[in-house]
């Protein structure tokens, strides 16, 4: 049976992966012989020592921190010196390069073999009659002014409210007043925290919501597939837009579009000194927080699983990719109907080194749930919600509202970056051995 070009390309990529993998092993065996195993063990051990040194530097102060930092730097240097002295550095570098190539080709092969689910073509919706946009002129270092977002939105028929940065304003109240006055679309050009507040009103009134990527990081815009380089292109949704139904996260009674963080990071960012000196404040506070000498002791319950005393917890509106470096920080969908939960519990240098194993490491808890409950030995705990520092009463409950928000986006947009699938050597080998012209 004939096969498509994409299938043939995937098979040849799989063959390239297998060939590069065999080459990586062959180089070490031919050049180093049985010493190749020793070199592998030394390299792995050095990486573990480096990780342990970083951990000790984070949980200690004074002389111990300095010595730990020296250890973390010296371990990889010592490994390189050992490889050079044995005359095998070039072989190690060639082997590593071939192995990287093997993994890259393998993931290309797997990605090409996956059949993307069909999606019905989306037709453009009629333009909104009374769109209302709230814009923060300070967001993203002044993107509202730099890209002339107000003028462009008004030219497309939108009513624009530019926030007064000299005083605090209730953006949720502004959105409700606009809805009461007849607005048929609510939008925000600002940070993710401001977007979440207005998105809550849009969901409450069942109005379409529009995101303009004028914030600093634009995590929500990224996962919606919007253009983050030119926020003015988001305004195309007013004239040539389609509608998506996505989920919303809720923490106690507050909506979040991205995530809520608990533990060490949330405690550090709420320190009054953090704004003036981020690095020094973080280094000063981390030892006590990571060693549980300061800060609340957390307990996390989700889908029958309990994680006791994690140092950090991230609850996200839909799970983030964690199985591929190219996908870290991205959510491939916003309509799965579940929260993502990532807990980190590291109490020793050995556990810190174990984190190198990735998602399967004992110190990492990764799961999905429709509800997550965070308890603590305190009446209230610091929480970061979509970048906003809050203090919430315990217990804190996070839940998902599936399909709660109507989002209007441009029909033509860059799209969500997709990480490659997890490496599966057994499947790659089967693909490589499949004869050309035969179906798998």
């Amino acid at each position: 049976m004939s096969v498509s070009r994409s299938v043939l390309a995937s098979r040849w990529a799989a063959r390239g992966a297998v060939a590069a993998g065999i080459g990586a092993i062959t180089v070490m065996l031919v050049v180093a012989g049985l010493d190749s195993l020793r070199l592998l063990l030394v390299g792995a051990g050095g990486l573990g020592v480096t990780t342990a040194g970083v951990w000790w530097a984070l949980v200690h102060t004074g002389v111990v921190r300095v010595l730990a930092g020296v250890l973390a730097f010296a371990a990889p240097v010592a490994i390189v010196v050992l490889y050079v002295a044995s005359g095998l550095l070039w072989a190690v570098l060639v082997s590593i390069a071939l192995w990287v190539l093997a993994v890259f080709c393998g993931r290309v092969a797997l990605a090409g073999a996956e059949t993307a689910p069909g999606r019905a073509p989306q037709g453009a919706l009629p333009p909104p009659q009374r769109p209302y946009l709230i814009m923060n002129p300070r967001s993203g270092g002044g993107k509202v002014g730099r890209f002339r977002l107000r003028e462009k939105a008004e030219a497309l028929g939108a009513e624009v409210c530019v926030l007064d940065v000299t005083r605090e304003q209730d953006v949720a109240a502004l959105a409700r007043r606009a809805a009461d006055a007849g607005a048929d679309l609510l939008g925000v050009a600002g940070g993710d925290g401001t977007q979440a507040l207005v998105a809550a009103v849009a969901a409450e009134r069942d109005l379409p919501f529009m995101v303009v990527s004028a914030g600093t990081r634009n995590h929500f815009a990224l996962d919606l597939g919007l253009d983050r380089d030119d926020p003015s292109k988001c305004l195309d949704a007013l004239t040539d837009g389609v509608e998506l139904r996505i989920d919303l996260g809720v923490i106690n009674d507050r909506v979040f579009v991205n995530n809520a963080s608990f533990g060490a990071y949330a405690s550090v960012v709420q320190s009054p000194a953090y704004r003036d000196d981020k690095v020094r404040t973080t280094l000063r506070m981390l030892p006590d927080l990571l060693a549980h000498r300061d800060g609340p002791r957390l307990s996390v319950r989700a889908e029958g699983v309990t994680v006791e005393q994690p140092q950090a917890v991230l609850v996200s509106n839909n799970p983030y990719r964690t199985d591929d470096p190219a996908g870290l920080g991205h959510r491939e969908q916003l309509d799965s109907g579940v929260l993502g939960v990532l807990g980190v519990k590291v109490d020793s240098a050995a556990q810190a080194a174990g984190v190198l194993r990735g998602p399967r490491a004992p110190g990492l808890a990764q799961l999905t749930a429709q509800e997550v409950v965070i308890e603590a030995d305190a009446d209230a705990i610091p929480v970061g919600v979509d970048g906003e520092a809050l203090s919430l009463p315990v217990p804190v409950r996070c839940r998902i509202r599936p399909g709660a928000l109507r989002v209007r986006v441009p029909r033509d947009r860059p799209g969500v970056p997709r990480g490659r699938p997890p490496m599966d050597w057994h499947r790659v080998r089967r693909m490589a051995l499949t004869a050309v012209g035969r179906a798998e």
Side-chain angles (χ1 to χ4, degrees):
M1 185 174 68
S2 62
V3 292
S4 67
R5 289 185 178 180
S6 62
V7 172
L8 286 175
S10 296
R11 290 177 185 169
W12 281 111
R15 288 166 187 154
V18 172
I22 293 174
I25 297 172
T26 301
V27 167
M28 292 303 298
L29 289 177
V30 170
V31 176
L34 294 178
D35 284 343
S36 60
L37 179 60
R38 178 176 60 85
L39 293 174
L40 180 63
L41 293 175
V42 168
L47 188 58
V49 170
T50 299
T51 306
V54 172
W55 167 256
W56 285 324
L58 290 176
V59 299
H60 292 91
T61 59
V63 176
V64 176
R65 171 173 283 176
V66 173
L67 293 176
V70 171
L71 177 64
F73 175 78
V77 172
I79 292 172
V80 172
V81 170
L82 176 63
Y83 289 166
V84 171
S86 61
L88 297 174
L89 179 62
W90 70 269
V92 172
L93 294 178
V94 170
S95 183
I96 290 174
L98 286 171
W99 192 253
V100 170
L101 177 63
V103 174
F104 173 79
C105 291
R107 285 185 167 171
V108 168
L110 293 172
E114 288 186 347
T115 303
R119 294 185 63 184
Q122 295 175 309
L125 297 172
Q129 298 302 304
R130 298 187 62 182
Y132 182 84
L133 304 184
I134 297 174
M135 297 188 177
N136 185 343
R138 283 185 175 174
S139 289
K143 288 182 180 178
V144 169
R146 189 159 68 250
F147 288 92
R148 302 182 64 247
L149 297 180
R150 176 178 185 170
E151 294 81 358
K152 292 178 181 179
E154 289 178 340
L156 294 174
E159 180 182 352
V160 178
C161 171
V162 178
L163 297 177
D164 183 353
V165 296
T166 64
R167 60 189 181 91
E168 189 172 339
Q169 291 178 272
D170 188 338
V171 294
L174 291 173
R176 288 192 180 91
R177 283 200 292 269
D180 291 339
D184 59 354
L185 177 144
L186 299 175
V188 173
D192 291 334
T194 305
Q195 289 170 8
L197 294 173
V198 179
V201 178
E204 172 190 309
R205 302 297 182 91
D206 194 29
L207 293 174
F209 176 67
M210 192 177 85
V211 174
V212 181
S213 55
T216 301
R217 297 178 181 85
N218 295 302
H219 288 163
F220 189 39
L222 169 67
D223 294 330
L224 286 171
L226 300 176
D227 193 319
R228 297 191 298 165
D229 297 324
D230 184 356
S232 66
K233 292 183 179 179
C234 299
L235 297 175
D236 292 344
L238 294 174
T239 55
D240 188 22
V242 296
E243 190 172 291
L244 310 175
R245 275 277 184 181
I246 69 168
D247 307 333
L248 284 177
V250 179
I251 179 167
N252 288 358
D253 58 354
R254 180 188 175 110
V255 162
F256 62 94
V257 294
N258 289 330
N259 56 63
S261 61
F262 306 82
Y265 173 75
S267 296
V268 168
V269 297
Q270 292 205 8
S271 169
Y274 180 76
R275 183 182 298 273
D276 296 328
D277 194 340
K278 294 180 174 59
V279 174
R280 185 173 298 179
T281 302
T282 300
L283 292 175
R284 176 178 56 81
M285 295 181 64
L286 274 182
D288 288 337
L289 291 171
L290 295 179
H292 301 293
R293 293 188 295 267
D294 194 9
R297 295 173 181 262
L298 304 179
S299 175
V300 182
R301 290 187 288 108
E303 297 295 329
V305 176
T306 301
V307 181
E308 295 289 351
Q309 298 188 31
Q311 284 100 337
V313 178
L314 184 75
V315 179
S316 58
N317 173 25
N318 286 254
Y320 286 101
R321 284 290 302 261
T322 59
D323 55 2
D324 176 31
L328 289 178
H330 304 320
R331 293 166 290 178
E332 291 193 336
Q333 63 182 112
L334 293 170
D335 58 357
S336 68
V338 293
L339 299 167
V341 185
L342 180 63
V344 179
K345 182 180 181 181
V346 178
D347 295 323
S348 67
Q351 287 183 344
V355 172
L356 295 173
R357 294 172 54 186
R360 297 180 181 179
L364 299 179
Q366 183 181 346
L367 59 150
T368 59
Q370 292 187 323
E371 183 177 55
V372 181
V373 179
I374 296 92
E375 298 179 327
D377 58 350
D379 294 332
I381 56 175
V383 186
V385 182
D386 283 342
E388 303 289 332
L390 304 174
S391 180
L392 298 179
V394 174
V396 178
R397 297 182 182 275
C398 301
R399 56 188 175 86
I400 195 80
R401 292 177 56 192
L405 183 64
R406 300 164 55 192
V407 181
R408 189 179 178 108
V409 296
R411 181 166 50 175
D412 295 322
R413 57 194 190 278
V416 179
R418 294 182 63 86
R420 294 189 179 95
M423 191 61 185
D424 184 341
W425 280 111
H426 293 293
R427 187 178 173 200
V428 169
R429 182 177 58 82
R430 288 198 304 270
M431 293 172 62
L433 296 176
T434 302
V436 176
R438 246 184 63 220
E440 286 188 84

